[in-house]
Amino acid sequence: MTAPTGAGPPRRLVVLRHAKSAWPEGVADHERPLGPRGRRDAPEAGRVLAASGLLPDLTLCSTAVRARHTWELASAQWETPPPVRLDPGLYGADVPELLAAVHGTPPEVMTLLLVGHNPGLEELVLALAGDGLGDTLDEVRVKFPTSAIAVLDWHGTSWRGLEPGTALLTSVMVPRGKLR
């Protein structure tokens, strides 16, 4: 295991895949809502982020309905949600597009939450992680399911310094809400 290297203060990228969506007939992919499980899991993701001390300074979120609703339900669990930037470029984004969005983050942001979609998010986590604690890398390689959270730590003076292989994957969590 290698600690994050680089000059500058510690920074954290928290990656959240949208919660489980529904597949209603005749609804465009971008407009698909959360399904019942997604509506249970998204608030639990917010509670897990809060309990783990992973509340962001800023959120970048896809404009797809399922990603926006995941963000809304998760952040509703926090006393003061951070600002959110809805970015249409995150929908269907690949690693270079996701990294470009992250690179545009203001340098005063120390913890950034990225809410989006697979396969891009899974590929981003694997690309950025030069190493991982325990079996975190293997967990992501096997599956990065809906509502999954990956936490990447690194050091840098700005978000432009986050490049492939420069972060440490410190944890992977898959919050699941309880049936009520």
Side-chain angles (χ1 to χ4, degrees):
M1 166 188 51
T2 306
T5 59
R11 294 182 185 272
R12 179 168 280 158
L13 175 63
V14 180
V15 177
L16 171 60
R17 184 176 174 201
H18 67 77
K20 185 75 173 169
S21 60
W23 293 83
E25 192 173 321
V27 174
D29 185 71
H30 188 273
E31 305 307 312
R32 287 193 297 120
L34 292 178
R37 191 176 94 198
R39 289 191 300 274
R40 288 191 310 268
D41 293 349
E44 185 63 19
R47 289 187 284 274
V48 165
L49 289 169
S52 301
L54 297 170
L55 296 183
D57 302 311
L58 175 69
T59 298
L60 301 179
C61 182
S62 165
T63 56
V65 169
R66 60 194 179 274
R68 287 193 338 255
H69 287 173
T70 298
W71 158 250
E72 291 164 3
L73 291 169
S75 65
Q77 306 306 306
W78 311 333
E79 189 171 316
T80 306
V84 60
R85 289 186 185 165
L86 298 175
D87 184 342
L90 297 178
Y91 174 71
D94 60 15
V95 171
E97 293 165 323
L98 291 166
L99 199 49
V102 170
H103 283 170
T105 301
E108 61 272 11
V109 172
M110 303 311 280
T111 299
L112 176 66
L113 175 63
L114 181 61
V115 182
H117 314 270
N118 258 3
L121 291 184
E122 177 178 330
E123 292 167 354
L124 178 70
V125 170
L126 293 172
L128 293 176
D131 204 350
L133 295 180
D135 61 354
T136 54
L137 281 168
D138 289 335
E139 286 181 55
V140 175
R141 284 184 191 113
V142 169
K143 188 173 185 181
F144 195 64
T146 55
S147 300
I149 299 167
V151 181
L152 295 150
D153 288 344
W154 66 287
H155 290 267
T157 56
S158 79
W159 285 91
R160 292 199 179 279
L162 180 58
E163 293 295 335
T166 61
L168 177 66
L169 182 59
T170 58
S171 70
V172 176
M173 301 168 273
V174 183
R176 294 292 184 225
K178 304 216 181 342
L179 291 171
R180 298 190 197 267

